[in-house]
Amino acid sequence: MKKIKSNPILQYLIVFILFIIIIFATSYIFYRNIDSALKEFRIQNLEEVTVQQANAIQLGIEDVRRELKTLSVTVAEDFDEPSKLNHILENVIGYSNFKMISISDLNGKTLIETGNGKGLSIANDPLFKEVLKGQTVILDPNSSSMDLNMIKMATPVYKNSTLVAVLTVGIDPNSLKDVFRSTYKGTSQTHLFLANGEVFLSTGNNNTTEELDKTCNWIQEKFLLNSNKDPLNQDFSLNEPGFFRFNQNNSDVGVYLTPVGVNQWKLAVAVPYSTIKDRWNFLNFNIFYFHAIFILITGALLTLMYKKHQKYTNQITEITFVDWLTKGNNVTRFRVLAKEFLKKKKKEEVTSAICVLDIKDFRLINERYGHAEGDHVLSLMYQAIEKVFGDKAVYGRGHIDRFFILLPFEGEENLILLGKEIKQALNKLLLAENISYQVEYVCGIYVIDHNLNNIDNLLEKVNFALRYSKENKESLTILYDDEITYQEVAKMQLEEDLQKAFENNEFQVYLQPKFNLQNNCMVGAEALCRWKNANGKLIYPNKFIPILEKNKKIAKLDLYMFESVCKLQREWMNQGYTVYPISVNQSKILLFRDDYVETIKGIAESYNVPPHLISIELTETNIFEDAVKIKNLVESLRNFGFPVSIDDFGTGYSSLNLLKDIHVDTVKIDKSFVGDINDVKQNILLTEVVRLIKRLGMEALVEGVEKQDQLTYLKEVGADVCQGYIYDAPIPAKDFFQKYVQEKQLELVEN
C-alpha cells in the first residue's frame, strides 16, 4: 500500500487499468444491450411482414367470397334461363380470377359448368352439407374431390328466399402469390400451409427449390405433422403465432409462423438469421483486447456504428410508423402509441376520449384544385393538430383525409373548444399558404370506458359516430353513445328489408288532392309513396328514401310509382269514371338517364293513359345539377304532352333564374312561404312570387297549407291551386278513389 502511495506512476497505471476495465465493461454491456434490442426489433419486423402478408391473403379470400356472393345474386336472377346464365358465367371467367364456375342442384348434380377444366362438383365433399345449410365454404386443394391446381369456394343460391342451387368456383392458387412480396433483399422465403400441414404455395426469389423444400420439411416435421400426419404441436392447435430458429446448410434460419384466418391455413416467412441478427458481430472480444491502445479509434468507430444503427432504425421506423405524406404518425403508429397512452391513463385513473376528424368534401378539393394541393391540405391539417396538442395527446393520419386523436377527456365543452382551436390553427396555416377557401371537417367522438381498451373496438365506435355525423348533417361533431349503434343496426336491417320490399310489392301509392282556390273543386292529386312492410308497419319516405338515394335504387322506385299511377288511371277510366291529373315526383338519378323520356312515354302508352293525366314534378335541387340538360328535358316532356311542375320552389338559391330559363306548367311554392301569415315581409314576398309566376304564364300552386287564415290569404293574392292538410292528408289510393272519384261522380249524376 505504501509503495502505491509513493509511486505516482503505479497510481496512474492502476487508475488507467481500472479505467480500461470500466471502458471494457461498459462497452461490453452496451454491445450486449444493443445486440439484444436489435434482435428483438428485427424479430418484430419479421412478425409484421408475416402478419401483413397473412392479412393480405385473408383480404384476398374475402374479396373472392364477396365476388362469389354477388355472382350468386346474378345466378338467382337468371336461374330459369340456362343459356343466358351460361353466357354470363363465361363473361365472368374472362375478367375474374375464377378458372372454373359450376352450378349444381341440391343433390350435387352439375347443371352448368364453364371454364378451362371439369369436375368442379363438390357433392361428395362433407362441406357440401354446410353449403345446403346456407354457408359459404372454402375447400383446401388437398381434399379428396379436389383438383390440386385449384381452390374451391361454394355458396348457396337463393331465389325468392328459396335455396335452388349451389354455386361453386375454382380459383387459381397462384393468384395468391401476388400478395407475397420478397423482403430482406430477396433472401426471404414465404410458405403457405394447409390445415393438415401440407405445403400449398412456396416462393423465394434468391432461394433454390432444394432450400425451399428443406424449410418446408423442417416446419412440417417440427410443428405441423407427425408420422401419422396428425397435428402435433399444441401451440399451433391454439392458432398462436411464434418465432423459431433452425439450421440449414450450416446456417441458422429464422422462421415466423402465423395463422392466416382462412381454413386454419398457416403462413411462414423464413429469413437467414444472419440477416435478422445484429450486423455488429465484428465487435468481438478482440476489440476489447486492443481497446487500451485504440480507445479513441474504438470510440469513433462505436460512434459511427451507433449512427449507422440509428439511421437503419430510423429508416425501419419511417417505413413502418411514419405517414409518407404528413411525415407524422400513421395509423399503425397511432395504434401502438394509443395502447401505451390508455395503459398510462388507466393507472392514473384519467378518462380518455378518442376523436376522428374527416375533412368535408375533400374529394371536391382534389377535383377542383388538384391532388397536389389536396395532399398539401392534409399536411397542413396534421400540422394544425400537432400545434394544438403537442405531446399532450396521441394522433395520426388514417385513410386519406381521416385523422385520429386520443386525448384526456375534460368534458364536452373542452372537446368543442379544442375543435375550434384546430380549425383556427388550420385556417391560419391555409392563409399563410395563400389558400383562400375555408376547410371544414366533421368529427366523431367516443369517451372511453376504462374497461374497454381494445383499439379496434374504439376505432369502430368512433367511426360509427363519424358516419352518423356525416349522414345526419345535424352537427359537425357527434359524441358516440349506444343509440348510434342501435340506429346503425336498425339502418342496416332497413336496407335488407328494402330489397324484400321490391320483391314483395310492399310499396303503396298514397294520393293527396289539389284544389282550385276559386271554386274549391278538386283539380288533381300528388302521388306519394308509403311502405307497408311484411309486419304491417307503415314506414314514411323520410326513413327509406335517403337509403334508396344512397344505394342508387331510387330510380327503380320512381318508375314503380309512375307505372302504379298509370295503372290506377287506366282502371278508373275503364270503369267509366272521370279522372284527374296526378303528379309524380322523379329523382335526379332517373331524370338524367338518356332514355328517361322514352321510358315513361312507353309506360304511359302501354296503359293507354293520355300524357296530360300524368304530371312530372322536378325539385329545384335536381335542376341545379345541370340546368341546361333539365331545360331540354322539360321541353321534351311537354312536347310529348306531359305537364311539368317545379316542386319546393323557393328553397334554392336561384329560384328566379329557374323561372326565366325553364318554362313549366306549374310552380309549387314551398310551404315555408306560408309558415307565418302574420309576417309582413313574408306576405309581400309571397304576393310578388305568385304574381310573377302568373305573369309568366304558369300556374301558381301553394303546398303545405294547413290553416284557414292561410287559405283565405292565398285566395286574396290570387294563387291558383292549393294542396295541404286544410283539405286532406295523403290517403291510400283506394280511399282516394272512393272519396274523390267515385263519390264525385255520383254527385254529378244526382245533380
Side-chain angles (χ1 to χ4, degrees):
M1 184 66 68
K2 289 181 180 180
K3 288 183 179 181
I4 295 174
K5 289 182 179 181
S6 61
N7 191 337
I9 297 177
L10 187 58
Q11 291 177 2
Y12 176 78
L13 182 62
I14 292 174
V15 172
F16 183 75
I17 292 172
L18 290 175
F19 176 74
I20 294 300
I21 292 173
I22 292 172
I23 292 296
F24 269 74
T26 54
S27 299
Y28 178 75
I29 294 171
F30 173 78
Y31 168 78
R32 297 300 297 174
N33 288 340
I34 292 295
D35 180 70
S36 175
L38 285 175
K39 281 193 285 188
E40 181 66 25
F41 182 80
R42 289 181 173 86
I43 290 173
Q44 291 176 359
N45 182 252
L46 179 60
E47 175 186 357
E48 290 176 2
V49 170
T50 308
V51 171
Q52 286 174 4
Q53 295 194 23
N55 290 340
I57 293 172
Q58 188 176 12
L59 290 173
I61 293 296
E62 285 302 316
D63 287 342
V64 174
R65 190 193 300 271
R66 285 192 292 270
E67 190 175 353
L68 179 60
K69 295 294 289 182
T70 301
L71 182 58
S72 71
V73 175
T74 301
V75 170
E77 291 176 352
D78 298 299
F79 185 73
D80 298 327
E81 300 182 51
S83 59
K84 180 180 177 181
L85 185 56
N86 189 64
H87 178 69
I88 292 173
L89 297 183
E90 288 177 353
N91 288 336
V92 173
I93 288 287
Y95 64 77
S96 69
N97 288 325
F98 300 157
K99 289 177 63 179
M100 299 170 59
I101 303 176
S102 171
I103 301 174
S104 57
D105 62 18
L106 304 185
N107 296 318
K109 180 181 177 181
T110 301
L111 302 176
I112 298 175
E113 188 170 50
T114 184
N116 59 347
K118 300 296 180 182
L120 195 59
S121 173
I122 64 167
N124 297 326
D125 195 286
L127 291 177
F128 184 72
K129 295 180 179 179
E130 298 300 320
V131 181
L132 297 181
K133 293 178 181 178
Q135 301 295 318
T136 298
V137 301
I138 303 173
L139 284 75
D140 288 349
N142 62 333
S143 298
S144 58
S145 62
M146 178 53 61
D147 180 346
L148 292 176
N149 295 320
M150 197 182 303
I151 304 172
K152 286 184 178 179
M153 188 178 293
T155 192
V157 177
Y158 290 94
K159 187 175 182 67
N160 297 328
S161 302
T162 301
L163 180 63
V164 296
V166 173
L167 174 63
T168 308
V169 298
I171 310 159
D172 186 354
N174 289 317
S175 63
L176 294 179
K177 285 188 177 181
D178 294 340
V179 304
F180 295 165
R181 57 186 180 91
S182 178
T183 54
Y184 299 97
K185 297 182 179 180
T187 62
S188 65
Q189 304 176 21
T190 304
H191 306 279
L192 183 60
F193 297 93
L194 301 174
N196 63 359
E198 293 184 4
V199 65
F200 177 21
L201 291 174
S202 292
T203 183
N205 288 358
N206 298 337
N207 295 274
T208 64
T209 302
E210 182 181 357
E211 289 173 335
L212 294 173
D213 290 342
K214 283 185 177 180
T215 303
C216 286
N217 292 337
W218 182 84
I219 296 173
Q220 289 174 318
E221 293 173 2
K222 184 70 176 176
F223 300 103
L224 303 177
L225 303 174
N226 62 15
S227 58
N228 295 321
K229 305 293 184 183
D230 293 323
L232 176 63
N233 186 278
Q234 292 300 314
D235 292 335
F236 286 96
S237 66
L238 298 174
N239 286 326
E240 294 293 334
F243 174 79
F244 310 95
R245 292 172 59 180
F246 76 99
N247 189 276
Q248 183 183 72
N249 297 333
N250 297 321
S251 176
D252 284 346
V253 175
V255 177
Y256 197 88
L257 188 63
T258 186
V260 174
V262 177
N263 278 23
Q264 298 183 354
W265 294 355
K266 296 179 179 67
L267 182 72
V269 175
V271 184
Y273 200 70
S274 59
T275 307
I276 302 176
K277 70 180 184 178
D278 185 37
R279 298 177 180 177
W280 291 10
N281 288 331
F282 65 89
L283 271 175
N284 51 42
F285 284 103
N286 291 327
I287 296 176
F288 298 134
Y289 296 149
F290 297 99
H291 204 287
I293 301 172
F294 302 104
I295 187 169
L296 295 177
I297 299 175
T298 304
L301 287 174
L302 286 174
T303 302
L304 179 62
M305 294 302 167
Y306 180 75
K307 287 183 178 180
K308 287 185 176 180
H309 159 67
Q310 283 297 100
K311 182 179 179 180
Y312 178 73
T313 303
N314 291 339
Q315 289 175 346
I316 296 294
T317 302
E318 184 171 353
I319 293 172
T320 308
F321 296 122
V322 177
D323 178 42
W324 67 272
L325 178 62
T326 64
K327 305 305 178 185
N329 298 328
N330 61 14
V331 71
T332 304
R333 181 62 173 166
F334 174 79
R335 288 172 178 270
V336 174
L337 295 176
K339 289 181 181 179
E340 299 173 359
F341 185 91
L342 290 173
K343 187 182 295 183
K344 178 181 177 182
K345 295 305 176 184
K346 186 175 182 180
K347 289 181 180 179
E348 297 173 357
E349 296 185 351
V350 174
T351 302
S352 302
I354 184 170
C355 310
V356 57
L357 309 181
D358 188 281
I359 296 178
K360 288 186 65 178
D361 300 322
F362 180 70
R363 176 180 58 83
L364 298 180
I365 296 177
N366 279 334
E367 291 178 355
R368 184 171 182 180
Y369 302 103
H371 288 276
E373 179 155 330
D375 291 346
H376 189 48
V377 169
L378 294 177
S379 295
L380 295 178
M381 183 69 174
Y382 189 89
Q383 292 176 34
I385 295 172
E386 192 173 35
K387 185 175 181 180
V388 171
F389 293 101
D391 58 357
K392 298 178 182 179
V394 172
Y395 39 85
R397 185 172 81 102
H399 182 63
I400 306 179
D401 60 331
R402 191 161 293 185
F403 296 84
F404 296 99
I405 306 171
L406 181 63
L407 70 161
F409 178 66
E410 299 176 359
E412 292 184 29
E413 293 183 359
N414 182 63
L415 287 177
I416 295 173
L417 180 62
L418 290 172
K420 292 180 179 178
E421 290 182 15
I422 294 173
K423 185 177 178 180
Q424 291 172 358
L426 176 60
N427 287 329
K428 285 183 180 179
L429 292 171
L430 291 170
L431 189 61
E433 297 289 334
N434 294 321
I435 297 176
S436 58
Y437 53 84
Q438 298 284 308
V439 175
E440 299 282 352
Y441 61 82
V442 290
C443 178
I445 303 171
Y446 174 60
V447 179
I448 301 171
D449 186 339
H450 283 306
N451 297 321
L452 183 62
N453 55 13
N454 182 281
I455 299 299
D456 290 330
N457 289 342
L458 297 179
L459 294 179
E460 180 182 6
K461 290 180 181 294
V462 77
N463 280 323
F464 265 146
L466 177 68
R467 187 157 57 247
Y468 185 86
S469 176
K470 293 175 72 174
E471 291 181 357
N472 289 271
K473 299 180 181 179
E474 295 172 356
S475 173
L476 295 180
T477 302
I478 292 294
L479 192 66
Y480 174 89
D481 56 27
D482 291 335
E483 178 63 22
I484 291 179
T485 301
Y486 172 78
Q487 291 184 17
E488 286 292 323
V489 172
K491 180 182 174 184
M492 288 187 287
Q493 182 61 50
L494 194 64
E495 290 179 359
E496 293 180 8
D497 293 343
L498 271 172
Q499 180 60 35
K500 297 177 183 177
F502 279 110
E503 297 170 359
N504 300 332
N505 293 322
E506 295 176 1
F507 295 110
Q508 298 184 357
V509 176
Y510 274 54
L511 297 172
Q512 185 175 32
K514 303 174 185 178
F515 282 81
N516 185 295
L517 286 172
Q518 304 308 316
N519 56 22
N520 261 2
C521 292
M522 189 194 71
V523 292
E526 179 181 3
L528 301 166
C529 182
R530 299 291 185 267
W531 172 21
K532 193 171 186 179
N533 64 16
N535 298 325
K537 181 180 179 181
L538 194 64
I539 303 173
Y540 288 88
N542 64 317
K543 295 294 184 182
F544 62 86
I545 293 296
I547 297 175
L548 292 175
E549 290 177 337
K550 184 177 180 181
N551 61 24
K552 312 298 184 185
K553 292 184 179 180
I554 187 66
K556 185 176 181 180
L557 180 61
D558 288 342
L559 290 176
Y560 172 84
M561 290 293 294
F562 184 90
E563 184 170 1
S564 297
V565 169
C566 289
K567 186 177 180 181
L568 285 173
Q569 296 279 49
R570 174 41 51 196
E571 288 178 356
W572 297 343
M573 284 189 290
N574 287 345
Q575 296 176 41
Y577 292 105
T578 300
V579 295
Y580 301 90
I582 298 178
S583 60
V584 182
N585 290 285
Q586 304 285 265
S587 66
K588 64 181 179 182
I589 294 177
L590 182 60
L591 290 172
F592 288 168
R593 278 176 34 175
D594 293 336
D595 63 344
Y596 168 68
V597 176
E598 291 296 330
T599 299
I600 63 170
K601 178 175 176 288
I603 294 173
E605 289 177 347
S606 68
Y607 286 93
N608 195 23
V609 174
H612 73 272
L613 292 178
I614 309 291
S615 176
I616 306 299
E617 288 197 6
L618 317 176
T619 63
E620 276 193 297
T621 53
N622 289 345
I623 298 173
F624 291 150
E625 291 287 330
D626 191 339
V628 175
K629 186 169 184 177
I630 290 294
K631 180 180 179 181
N632 295 332
L633 175 67
V634 169
E635 291 178 357
S636 298
L637 288 169
R638 298 183 79 235
N639 288 338
F640 278 121
F642 291 106
V644 179
S645 60
I646 297 178
D647 195 11
D648 300 330
F649 180 81
T651 59
Y653 296 102
S654 303
S655 301
L656 296 179
N657 283 334
L658 292 180
L659 299 182
K660 176 177 70 71
D661 297 332
I662 300 175
H663 187 79
V664 296
D665 298 275
T666 302
V667 177
K668 298 184 69 175
I669 301 171
D670 188 70
K671 62 182 180 181
S672 59
F673 280 83
V674 292
D676 183 4
I677 207 67
N678 297 316
D679 187 328
V680 176
K681 290 183 178 180
Q682 177 181 280
N683 291 343
I684 293 173
L685 184 60
L686 176 61
T687 302
E688 295 305 319
V689 168
V690 170
R691 183 179 302 170
L692 178 62
I693 291 171
K694 298 185 71 172
R695 288 186 66 185
L696 291 173
M698 305 177 196
E699 182 181 65
L701 183 154
V702 183
E703 57 185 344
V705 180
E706 299 179 355
K707 300 177 181 178
Q708 184 61 44
D709 58 346
Q710 295 173 333
L711 188 65
T712 301
Y713 185 76
L714 289 174
K715 290 181 179 180
E716 292 175 0
V717 300
D720 298 306
V721 181
C722 171
Q723 176 184 342
Y725 281 78
I726 186 67
Y727 286 110
D728 209 340
I731 58 178
K734 181 180 179 181
D735 297 340
F736 182 89
F737 170 71
Q738 294 176 348
K739 186 174 182 180
Y740 293 106
V741 178
Q742 198 173 40
E743 289 186 6
K744 294 295 181 184
Q745 193 80 355
L746 290 175
E747 289 178 7
L748 289 173
V749 172
E750 290 174 358
N751 291 333

